[in-house]
Amino acid sequence: MSYPACYHILNRSQRMSWHWLECLLNIDRSMNSYSVAERINSQVNASVTWMSDSEQYDKPDYWVEANTLGDCEDYALLKRQVLLKSGFAPKDLHLACCWVETGEYHCVLLCNTDKGWFSLDNRFATPQIPSKCGYAWDKALNEETGKWYVLSF
């Protein structure tokens, strides 16, 4: 991968933005939307290390796009940002909250593709069908209204 001459003076956040721009440039525009979502899910999961907000920010909950570290909503926010930049419409990307099998509260990105809606989750290497995740779904964010709505799959 080649970097611009000024890469060495960029801060960590700017370097990560450059990294994701490079990833987007490597996406074949003829790929179907499911394949794009699958690739971005995989790339984000592989390049971010899980770390709680308490450990990173000394706060119980802090929503920000992941750089190299993040918890579940940080992964979801980064996937959302990269998918938007790759051409997905906001109406096809919904942040969603649920309870996992251990009872912990969790956040994923729901993504509407040419194969239907899928959950992009830092706990799974591939997109999952929401009704088959084994999660108890709570709510999702509708960006058009800015309101959370109840989920049921």
Side-chain angles (χ1 to χ4, degrees):
M1 181 179 298
S2 63
Y3 297 105
C6 63
Y7 183 80
H8 70 282
I9 63 170
L10 300 176
N11 66 33
R12 187 175 108 193
S13 177
Q14 291 166 325
R15 286 183 182 174
M16 287 304 292
S17 295
W18 182 262
H19 171 72
W20 290 111
L21 178 60
E22 285 288 309
C23 290
L24 289 174
L25 293 175
N26 291 329
I27 290 176
D28 180 352
R29 297 297 175 191
S30 67
M31 291 170 64
N32 64 36
S33 60
Y34 175 85
S35 295
V36 172
E38 182 179 40
R39 178 177 288 178
I40 289 171
N41 184 67
S42 175
Q43 289 175 333
V44 170
N45 287 356
S47 60
V48 176
T49 301
W50 193 92
M51 182 180 277
S52 73
D53 289 334
S54 296
E55 293 172 288
Q56 269 196 95
Y57 305 107
D58 201 27
K59 296 179 182 180
D61 204 25
Y62 186 71
W63 287 48
V64 64
E65 292 152 356
N67 272 317
T68 56
L69 302 170
D71 64 0
C72 58
E73 75 273 359
D74 304 332
Y75 281 82
L77 287 166
L78 179 57
K79 290 173 188 181
R80 181 186 164 281
Q81 176 191 28
V82 177
L83 286 165
L84 286 169
K85 288 183 180 179
S86 72
F88 276 73
K91 69 178 181 56
D92 291 328
L93 302 171
H94 296 215
L95 293 170
C97 298
C98 57
W99 288 273
V100 300
E101 62 281 348
T102 61
E104 292 177 272
Y105 205 56
H106 186 52
C107 182
V108 301
L109 182 66
L110 296 179
C111 180
N112 190 19
T113 73
D114 58 302
K115 294 184 178 184
W117 283 93
F118 286 86
S119 168
L120 305 184
D121 190 339
N122 63 295
R123 300 175 76 221
F124 294 98
T126 59
Q128 302 293 302
I129 297 171
S131 62
K132 297 187 178 181
C133 291
Y135 293 164
W137 293 98
D138 182 22
K139 61 189 176 184
L141 180 63
N142 179 330
E143 282 203 40
E144 293 174 336
T145 65
K147 296 182 180 179
W148 292 91
Y149 64 93
V150 176
L151 279 176
S152 60
F153 289 105

